[in-house]
């Protein structure tokens, strides 16, 4: 990074000199930290369209070129040649593990997969039809109650252990949520299995008989988890960092991240895509729904389309689109919704409205079709996303603690409410 300055002149003629941060990758950035001190001015940027909130060494995106790198490695290479546990190690530690580091890491994750028995009792308190994301958010938040008193947030080893616990326990909690949702007995983690196999076993196994893992399903999940593992400062990661900046318990931070991910504009889009395809129903209805998506008076949006950062294509969508065909082929699943999604994509990509606004399918457009082919109910889709993104959330949370200029996140506002006025007693209003 090299530094020069930009000069700002306010309408009143005051000047400020702001450092320009130039990084070897990514656009130049004005460091506006001292702007208010120098001029009395703040900046306004609703939705953080042009504002960076932190420095990070973890993930790089070039939205114009459709590039996504984890610690410098292209997502295409990781998807093709790596696996989710290795990617987890990479995101957390900055480097790919060698064989013995990989073994030790897998072993450590495996040792933390169980959750306190009281989580089962907690889960049973939910109504049978509670949304899995609601249960997930609460259950992960409730883990703060088990891991708080003895945790020293200033101790890097305690922080690392919290991250390991979160990554290891997410699948167990997710499977518990699923079992509660369908009314089956909870299954304990089987540590002879790998990460995704263990999840499948906990979700689909029953105590009454042995469960045989389908390797196609385990591999498909592993790929989806790699693609979902991190995505720099998206809404949920920024939420985790904002909560984390107050020094809050890490389980509480991740619970907040899950809440943020749930929204249909973010991770909830994978569930929304399948609901949308259900609603469209048939290829003959596509034109009608494209027209609705373009109509500014209609709240309908084409779910799984568009992205704040990618303005060319989402590289994850390209990988998932291909995987979708491969996985459905290998599982022998014929899904008319895949045909419908492909036709919808084809029509939208030729439509002037979508072309002019650079709206392309994003990661969530096809991921739900794979989850569905694996037998995962629609309402669990975002839970699956959350399992993977926990790796990104915890890596970013760890990094935040190690970054010297981290301060409490405290945005400002442009106040537009009532001017100062005197209180009027009730009998005079
Ligand atoms: N369907 C129809 N119009 C759209 C869509 C869409 N999916 N997305 C954006 N637009 C239009 C929008 O109306 C606006 O038009 P105009 O310039 O005429 O006002 C223009 O495109 C720019 O959109 P924006 O809302 O300003 O863009 P944003 O960066 O604030 O929002 C987004 C990005 C992802 C929230 C949005 O594209 C969207 O709502 N997409 C559908 C939901 C979705 O698929 N979300 C998953 C995102 S990727 C995975 C993840 O984050 O978890």
């Amino acid at each position: 990074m090299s530094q020069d300055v930009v000069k700002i002149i306010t309408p009143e003629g005051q000047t400020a000199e702001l450092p320009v941060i130039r990084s070897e990758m990514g656009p130049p950035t004005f460091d506006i930290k001292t702007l208010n001190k120098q001029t009395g001015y703040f900046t306004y940027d609703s939705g953080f369209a042009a504002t960076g909130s932190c420095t990070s060494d973890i993930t790089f995106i070039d939205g114009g070129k459709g590039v996504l790198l984890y610690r410098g490695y292209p997502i295409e290479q990781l998807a093709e040649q790596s696996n989710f546990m290795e990617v987890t190690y990479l995101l957390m530690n900055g480097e790919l593990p060698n064989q013995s580091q990989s073994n030790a890491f897998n072993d450590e994750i495996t040792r933390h997969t169980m959750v306190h028995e009281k989580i089962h009792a907690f889960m049973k308190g939910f109504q049978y039809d509670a949304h899995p994301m609601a249960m997930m958010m609460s259950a992960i938040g409730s883990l703060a109650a088990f891991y708080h008193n003895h945790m020293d947030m200033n101790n890097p080893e305690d922080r690392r252990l919290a991250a390991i616990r979160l990554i290891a326990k997410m699948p167990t909690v997710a499977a518990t949520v699923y079992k509660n949702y369908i009314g089956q007995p909870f299954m304990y983690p089987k540590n002879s299995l790998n990460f995704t196999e263990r999840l499948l076993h906990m979700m689909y196994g029953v105590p009454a008989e042995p469960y045989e893992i389908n390797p196609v399903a385990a591999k498909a999940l592993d790929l989806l988890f790699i693609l979902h593992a991190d995505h720099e400062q998206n809404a949920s990661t920024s939420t985790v960092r904002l909560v984390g900046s107050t020094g809050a318990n890490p389980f509480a931070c991740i619970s907040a991240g899950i809440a943020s991910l749930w929204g249909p504009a973010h991770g909830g889009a994978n569930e929304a895509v399948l609901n949308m395809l259900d609603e469209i129903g048939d290829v003959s209805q596509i034109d009608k729904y494209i027209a609705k998506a373009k109509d500014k008076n209609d709240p309908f949006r084409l779910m799984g389309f568009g992205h704040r950062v990618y303005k060319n294509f989402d590289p994850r969508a390209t990988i998932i689109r291909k995987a979708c065909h491969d996985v459905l082929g290998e599982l022998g699943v014929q899904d008319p919704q895949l045909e419908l999604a492909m036709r919808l994509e084809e029509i939208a990509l030729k439509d002037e409205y979508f072309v002019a606004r650079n709206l392309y399918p994003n990661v969530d457009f096809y991921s739900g079709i794979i989850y569905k082919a694996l037998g995962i109910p629609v309402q669990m889709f975002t839970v699956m996303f959350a399992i993977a993104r926990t790796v990104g959330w915890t890596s970013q949370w760890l990094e935040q603690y190690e970054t010297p200029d981290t301060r409490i996140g405290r945005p400002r506002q442009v106040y537009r409410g009532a001017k100062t006025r005197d209180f009027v007693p009730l009998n005079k209003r």
Side-chain angles (χ1 to χ4, degrees), residues 8 14 58 65 83 87 96 121 132 145 154 172 200 229 275 294 317 322 358 360 370 374 401-402 404 406 414 427:
I8 303 276
Q14 292 156 301
I58 301 176
K65 296 193 182 128
N83 60 64
V87 166
L96 285 166
N154 295 316
T172 314
L200 287 169
N275 292 336
K294 290 161 32 173
K322 182 177 174 304
N358 296 312
Y360 296 87
I370 302 186
L374 302 182
Y401 267 89
E402 283 148 21
T406 295
V414 178
N427 61 359

Side-chain angles (χ1 to χ4, degrees), residues 234 261 264-269 273 293-294 296 300-308 311 314 316 353-354 357 359 362-364 385 389:
N234 55 81
L261 188 75
H266 192 10
V273 169
K294 290 161 32 173
K296 293 290 170 205
F300 178 81
R301 280 194 165 198
L302 216 52
M303 300 314 287
F305 258 75
H307 198 276
R308 171 64 63 79
K311 297 299 172 200
D314 178 341
R316 303 166 302 171
Y353 172 96
F354 291 88
R357 289 168 180 75
L359 300 172
N362 59 50
V363 68
D364 290 323
F385 191 160
R389 187 54 60 84

Side-chain angles (χ1 to χ4, degrees), residues 60-330:
F60 174 79
I61 302 174
D62 183 331
K65 296 193 182 128
V67 170
L68 169 60
L69 311 176
Y70 290 166
R71 300 283 191 181
Y73 294 102
I75 192 68
E76 292 81 3
Q77 291 181 22
L78 294 168
E80 179 82 29
Q81 299 173 52
S82 191
N83 60 64
F84 182 61
M85 271 300 93
E86 196 170 70
V87 166
T88 299
Y89 184 97
L90 172 70
L91 287 168
M92 271 183 80
N93 299 291
E95 296 298 335
L96 285 166
N98 62 27
Q99 191 61 60
S100 70
Q101 287 166 330
S102 175
N103 293 346
F105 186 68
N106 276 301
D107 198 50
E108 190 177 21
I109 293 282
T110 303
R111 301 284 151 226
H112 289 283
T113 50
M114 288 201 297
V115 291
H116 197 287
E117 280 295 305
K118 288 202 164 125
I119 288 290
H120 292 173
F122 179 81
M123 219 34 107
K124 285 183 178 148
F126 284 108
Q127 179 69 309
Y128 72 95
D129 61 350
H131 194 287
M133 280 299 273
M135 291 192 267
M136 199 68 198
M137 193 174 60
S138 322
I140 294 298
S142 79
L143 287 177
F146 298 96
Y147 303 104
H148 189 70
N149 297 344
H150 302 292
M151 187 171 162
D152 176 3
M153 301 284 283
N154 295 316
N155 180 341
E157 185 45 33
D158 277 16
R159 294 198 300 267
R160 198 191 68 84
L161 184 57
I164 294 283
R165 281 185 170 134
L166 271 155
I167 293 164
K169 292 183 200 308
M170 278 295 281
T172 314
V173 175
T176 311
V177 158
Y178 176 64
K179 289 297 198 188
N180 195 54
Y181 189 58
I182 60 169
Q184 283 187 358
F186 303 133
M187 295 290 286
Y188 288 103
K190 199 168 166 187
N191 284 349
S192 55
L193 301 174
N194 73 26
F195 193 87
T196 49
E197 290 170 345
R198 196 159 52 231
L199 172 61
L200 287 169
H201 176 259
M202 286 188 287
M203 284 179 75
Y204 297 119
V206 287
E209 58 191 33
Y211 173 73
E212 205 173 308
I213 307 287
N214 181 339
V216 175
K219 191 160 170 282
L221 270 188
D222 197 87
L223 172 69
L224 288 171
F225 285 0
I226 291 174
L227 300 179
H228 277 130
D230 194 44
H231 213 230
E232 51 119 307
Q233 308 313 317
N234 55 81
S236 57
T237 303
S238 299
T239 303
V240 170
R241 277 188 179 262
L242 192 59
V243 181
S245 77
T246 69
N249 179 289
F251 293 88
C253 296
I254 301 306
S255 174
I258 296 171
S260 171
L261 188 75
W262 191 5
H266 192 10
N270 54 15
E271 178 179 342
V273 169
L274 268 261
N275 292 336
M276 176 188 75
L277 292 174
D278 267 347
E279 192 185 327
I280 297 175
D282 186 75
V283 175
S284 64
Q285 297 299 304
I286 290 179
D287 287 348
K288 179 177 137 197
Y289 280 90
I290 294 269
K292 273 165 77 62
K294 290 161 32 173
D295 180 356
K296 293 290 170 205
N297 298 316
D298 189 324
F300 178 81
R301 280 194 165 198
L302 216 52
M303 300 314 287
F305 258 75
H307 198 276
R308 171 64 63 79
V309 185
Y310 294 121
K311 297 299 172 200
N312 187 336
F313 66 94
D314 178 341
R316 303 166 302 171
T318 311
I319 299 169
I320 287 193
R321 192 180 195 278
K322 182 177 174 304
C324 210
H325 289 278
D326 295 349
V327 173
L328 267 62
E330 285 174 58

